[in-house]
Amino acid sequence: DSKIDYNRFHINMNASGSWDDYPSLGFYSGNNLTNSPVGGWFNVITIPYNGNDDYSVQIGFNIYHIYLRSKSNGKSWTRWAQLH
């Protein structure tokens, strides 16, 4: 039975800088961050594999589209892929 460790779950409704800087488990929202697939406000849910930030998936969305990207072995994030 897996449960979320809320001590490790981040919520940041005013993210800044780059989306590359948010590999930890959480929900983030920010305006015009670098490495965003679109300009303006964008929201990201980050899910690290087995609690390891070096292997993470980001699901990003705004009111128009949904995007996905990942990173593995601590390397660079992949490009955002538009899902919808």
Side-chain angles (χ1 to χ4, degrees), residues 30-44:
N31 188 23
N32 290 322
L33 276 73
T34 57
N35 297 308
S36 180
V38 295
W41 281 99
F42 196 66
N43 306 290
V44 169

Side-chain angles (χ1 to χ4, degrees), residues 12-16 19 27-31 33 41-44:
N12 184 340
M13 300 306 289
N14 196 23
S16 61
W19 286 119
F27 178 83
Y28 308 94
S29 183
N31 188 23
L33 276 73
W41 281 99
F42 196 66
N43 306 290
V44 169

Side-chain angles (χ1 to χ4, degrees), residues 8-81:
R8 295 185 53 186
F9 187 84
H10 302 273
I11 297 176
N12 184 340
M13 300 306 289
N14 196 23
S16 61
S18 168
W19 286 119
D20 292 354
D21 299 333
Y22 296 91
S24 299
L25 177 65
F27 178 83
Y28 308 94
S29 183
N31 188 23
N32 290 322
L33 276 73
T34 57
N35 297 308
S36 180
V38 295
W41 281 99
F42 196 66
N43 306 290
V44 169
I45 299 168
T46 302
I47 306 166
Y49 178 73
N50 205 23
N52 185 344
D53 291 353
D54 287 338
Y55 299 85
S56 295
V57 170
Q58 287 185 328
I59 302 165
F61 57 95
N62 60 14
I63 61 172
Y64 304 107
H65 299 290
I66 300 170
Y67 300 86
L68 178 73
R69 74 179 186 158
S70 64
K71 76 171 184 168
S72 63
N73 207 19
K75 296 185 180 173
S76 298
W77 289 95
T78 60
R79 298 179 75 146
W80 288 101

